[in-house]
Amino acid sequence: MDGGPPPIPQLPPQMFTTAASLLDLTDKKLMVSLRDGRKLIGVLRSWDQFGNLVLQDSVERIFTHNHLYADVPCGLFLVRGENVMLMGEIDLDKDDYIPPEYSLAPVEAIHAAKKQEALMQQKTETRRNRTLKRLGFESEKSGDAIL
């Protein structure tokens, strides 16, 4: 018996709930969903204690309601940690699998479709706000001060 101090137990990686949990994801391909609805795909190269991420060879994948999508190349991308809503590792064996109902479209067509979707949503919102006002309710953001 050598009488030395007992070894310090090491925590498994699953126990980290801070930015240190990103250690296992470094140099792996990730999908990152942002608060504004964008979805980025890229290789995690670096991160810091605030959860800020550096993605290399990243693309923004844009989906439309009519089952079209496009990948917009972004290159090296810095994501502020507070904007990350969800992220996960991409299985490289299934990376190229596209569900049959989706089809790749030109970026210009996707941007036009997204613009059309935004206009339709704005019209729906305006109609909803008018109905709420007629019933005596205030619509969302109607009490916000305009600065």
Side-chain angles (χ1 to χ4, degrees), residues 61 63 67 69 94-104:
R61 185 160 287 173
F63 294 94
H67 298 288
Y69 78 96
K94 298 179 182 177
D95 187 22
D96 295 330
Y97 172 74
I98 304 296
E101 62 269 11
Y102 284 93
S103 57
L104 185 63

Side-chain angles (χ1 to χ4, degrees), residues 87-147:
M87 66 186 231
E89 184 178 353
I90 293 178
D91 185 354
L92 296 178
D93 294 334
K94 298 179 182 177
D95 187 22
D96 295 330
Y97 172 74
I98 304 296
E101 62 269 11
Y102 284 93
S103 57
L104 185 63
V107 175
E108 297 80 20
I110 295 295
H111 284 304
K114 291 299 269 187
K115 190 179 246 185
Q116 186 66 29
E117 286 176 11
L119 285 172
M120 293 298 289
Q121 185 167 353
Q122 185 178 10
K123 286 180 184 179
T124 303
E125 189 73 21
T126 302
R127 199 174 326 119
R128 180 178 158 269
N129 289 342
R130 267 194 245 122
T131 303
L132 285 172
K133 189 171 186 176
R134 195 168 9 103
L135 295 172
F137 293 99
E138 281 190 18
S139 63
E140 290 182 34
K141 301 179 185 173
S142 64
D144 293 348
I146 300 174
L147 301 176

Side-chain angles (χ1 to χ4, degrees), residues 8-54:
I8 299 172
Q10 295 294 315
L11 292 174
Q14 298 88 342
M15 296 298 292
F16 292 112
T17 58
T18 61
S21 63
L22 296 172
L23 187 61
D24 287 343
L25 296 174
T26 304
D27 296 330
K28 294 187 178 164
K29 193 168 189 180
L30 304 178
M31 190 283 302
V32 180
S33 182
L34 303 179
R35 283 192 322 180
D36 64 0
R38 290 186 292 170
K39 287 150 189 68
L40 300 173
I41 297 173
V43 178
L44 180 64
R45 289 297 178 203
S46 185
W47 48 272
D48 65 8
Q49 72 269 25
F50 303 109
N52 299 322
L53 310 173
V54 176

